[in-house]
Amino acid sequence: MNNMLIAQSGGPTAAINASLSGAIQEAIRSKEIDGVYGALNGIQGVLAGTIIDLRSQFSRQEDFSILECTPAMALGSCRFRLPEEDADPALYQKIDEIFKRYQISYFFYIGGNDSMDTVDKLFRHFSRTGQDIKVIGIPKTIDNDLPGSDHSPGFGSSAKFIATAMLEIIRDCYVYDTDSVTIVEIMGRHAGWLTASAALPRTVGARAPHLIYLPEVAFDPEQFIRDVKQVQSLTRNCIVAVSEGVRLADGTFAAENFQSGVVDAFGHRYLSGVGKYLESLVREKIGCKVRSIELNVLQRCSSHLMSATDVREARKIGSYAIRFALQGHTGVMMVFERVSNRPYMVRIGCKPVSEIANREQLVPREWINKQGNDVTDEMFEYLLPLIEGEVPYPTQNGMPVHFVLNQSIVE
């Protein structure tokens, strides 16, 4: 028997289930794959043996379409750092037992930077122990910070949501003829791709946001106040987009005093609060009407605003992961290579996961203006193709219909 196992890990996206859909469909079509299994809650589900059958759960093509319109992760997720093998050999023995029990020949892990660390460790373990198990990472992250790939599935839909939300916020801000500052806090620990997407309303005639601050450039609170005053000398409503992870010149988070300091299993601090911090700063230094808006989890779970390009590519890269595994590839992550912007074209390939795990792709400094408070035209060329197209989704009683997997464990 040659069975496959697939799992999801890290933070949710609106398009991650499209990659799952593409992988399952390709596996079902393949004559070389027998059982098609999923692990609940990532690598922790593998260790716990919470394995479900996926082949039997889709009786019609429409089921896959619904799955692709379902946000978050149908298989559930985890934030678990797999230790090095020499630090916990018993854990790897447990993984071996699970893979042997279910006769797994192919393992696919859909995730971001930290998930690729798990892919790399499993690949090295199976190689060292001489087990013929192909391991492939399927990328996803709304942060768009996976190196080696032009962009990541999930980012385009989040960028589309942020751009749309920002456009609606802009319209709301211009209702009153009053001096005001509106600060929109957007996700992004070290990479500012999501916040950069807030600039897209300008492509449809909006004049805002007037200021954009990304983590790639040191943040200066005093310069921020000067920037706001400069905008207010030209218009009564100043609209700002800011990444949650902006840092001061000394490397500390600008909103450190507004954050809990709690970290996850990978040592990442839980960030939020920069909007409130800047709101209080404007109130103190300028004294005009000011409010902050945190888009929060809506940035990653708004399937009603998915990008058709994003969903199509997410499905395709999941499908290609199966094909590449059957061709013998292992220890790699699937990637996009952009061929051209106009017309927009990408090709799908793969790169060694060791070159990707625990690394980040930041916004190029040349795509940020000299003052560090806006993006350049190159950013628009890069972003626009990724948010193109709308995805029709099924509804019932005026609400979206989501696909829920039967989580009965295979015994």
Side-chain angles (χ1 to χ4, degrees):
M1 297 288 284
N2 288 309
N3 300 334
M4 67 158 273
L5 180 63
I6 191 167
Q8 299 169 312
S9 179
T13 83
I16 190 171
N17 286 329
S19 292
L20 179 64
S21 170
I24 295 171
Q25 291 185 72
E26 187 69 31
I28 290 174
R29 285 192 294 264
S30 171
K31 295 179 180 179
E32 300 175 61
I33 294 177
D34 300 304
V36 182
Y37 297 126
L40 301 178
N41 302 111
I43 191 64
Q44 285 186 315
V46 174
L47 290 164
T50 50
I51 310 298
I52 66 173
D53 176 45
L54 295 174
R55 185 185 285 273
S56 64
Q57 304 215 26
F58 299 89
S59 58
R60 50 184 185 160
Q61 189 62 34
E62 183 183 359
D63 292 336
F64 289 109
S65 298
I66 298 173
L67 175 62
E68 292 171 8
C69 293
T70 300
M73 287 131 127
L75 287 170
S77 184
C78 71
R79 291 193 182 276
F80 176 76
R81 178 180 282 278
L82 191 66
E84 291 290 347
E85 185 173 359
D86 57 2
D88 194 347
L91 184 145
Y92 284 82
Q93 291 174 10
K94 180 65 175 177
I95 292 173
D96 289 343
E97 292 170 6
I98 294 296
F99 275 54
K100 184 176 181 180
R101 182 192 310 171
Y102 291 97
Q103 298 179 280
I104 303 301
S105 299
Y106 308 97
F107 179 64
F108 304 91
Y109 210 34
I110 312 177
N113 308 68
D114 298 328
S115 302
M116 295 308 132
D117 176 72
T118 297
V119 172
D120 187 39
K121 287 172 178 172
L122 288 177
F123 162 67
R124 287 189 279 118
H125 166 70
F126 294 140
S127 298
R128 185 189 66 79
T129 55
Q131 300 181 70
D132 186 17
I133 300 175
K134 304 298 187 290
V135 185
I136 290 187
I138 301 174
K140 73 85 209 168
T141 175
I142 65 168
D143 293 316
N144 200 40
D145 59 352
L146 276 167
S149 184
D150 176 78
H151 57 279
S152 298
F155 169 68
S157 292
S158 289
K160 188 182 185 81
F161 171 81
I162 289 167
T164 304
M166 180 60 75
L167 184 59
E168 293 170 343
I169 290 168
I170 290 167
R171 299 297 177 227
D172 183 270
C173 288
Y174 286 118
V175 168
Y176 302 107
D177 188 24
T178 306
D179 290 337
S180 68
V181 177
T182 300
I183 300 157
V184 183
E185 177 182 331
I186 298 169
M187 286 180 174
R189 180 181 307 277
H190 299 136
W193 298 103
L194 285 172
T195 304
S197 67
L200 288 170
R202 296 183 198 153
T203 66
V204 291
R207 292 172 290 167
H210 305 98
L211 300 168
I212 298 174
Y213 299 94
L214 312 184
E216 286 82 357
V217 177
F219 183 79
D220 182 345
E222 294 182 0
Q223 184 59 51
F224 166 74
I225 293 299
R226 290 194 289 270
D227 290 347
V228 171
K229 288 181 177 179
Q230 172 64 26
V231 171
Q232 287 187 315
S233 70
L234 303 173
T235 180
R236 305 193 72 173
N237 301 283
C238 176
I239 301 168
V240 180
V242 59
S243 291
E244 62 182 0
V246 290
R247 295 173 183 256
L248 306 179
D250 63 5
T252 60
F253 289 109
E256 195 134 308
N257 292 335
F258 285 72
Q259 295 164 351
S260 66
V262 176
V263 299
D264 65 15
F266 291 87
H268 305 316
R269 292 182 56 153
Y270 291 106
L271 301 182
S272 68
V274 70
K276 287 297 181 186
Y277 161 65
L278 296 181
E279 178 184 334
S280 66
L281 191 64
V282 169
R283 187 173 290 113
E284 174 190 351
K285 301 293 186 180
I286 299 178
C288 66
K289 176 183 176 182
V290 58
R291 61 181 173 183
S292 61
I293 300 166
E294 184 182 349
L295 298 184
N296 210 293
V297 296
L298 292 173
Q299 294 159 91
R300 66 189 194 188
C301 68
S302 296
S303 59
H304 60 287
L305 276 174
M306 288 191 297
S307 153
T309 298
D310 189 26
V311 172
R312 182 178 63 253
E313 290 183 343
R315 180 195 312 116
K316 193 171 183 179
I317 207 167
S319 174
Y320 272 54
I322 305 297
R323 299 183 195 179
F324 274 49
L326 294 175
Q327 292 168 8
H329 292 278
T330 185
V332 298
M333 185 188 82
M334 306 301 298
V335 299
F336 291 120
E337 177 189 346
R338 189 173 302 209
V339 178
S340 65
N341 285 327
R342 300 181 184 178
Y344 172 67
M345 293 178 60
V346 295
R347 64 169 61 100
I348 296 176
C350 67
K351 292 185 178 179
V353 72
S354 60
E355 299 176 2
I356 296 168
N358 301 309
R359 303 182 187 184
E360 292 177 305
Q361 174 174 269
L362 305 180
V363 173
R365 182 60 182 86
E366 59 268 25
W367 290 11
I368 305 171
N369 71 348
K370 183 178 180 181
Q371 296 78 15
N373 60 13
D374 205 348
V375 297
T376 65
D377 290 343
E378 288 88 346
M379 182 62 76
F380 294 97
E381 289 288 313
Y382 173 80
L383 290 173
L384 280 170
L386 305 182
I387 69 166
E388 279 294 324
E390 285 65 53
V391 179
Y393 55 89
T395 61
Q396 181 178 352
N397 297 329
M399 299 290 290
V401 175
H402 292 160
F403 189 88
V404 179
L405 289 169
N406 179 344
Q407 298 190 358
S408 298
I409 307 303
V410 176
E411 299 295 343

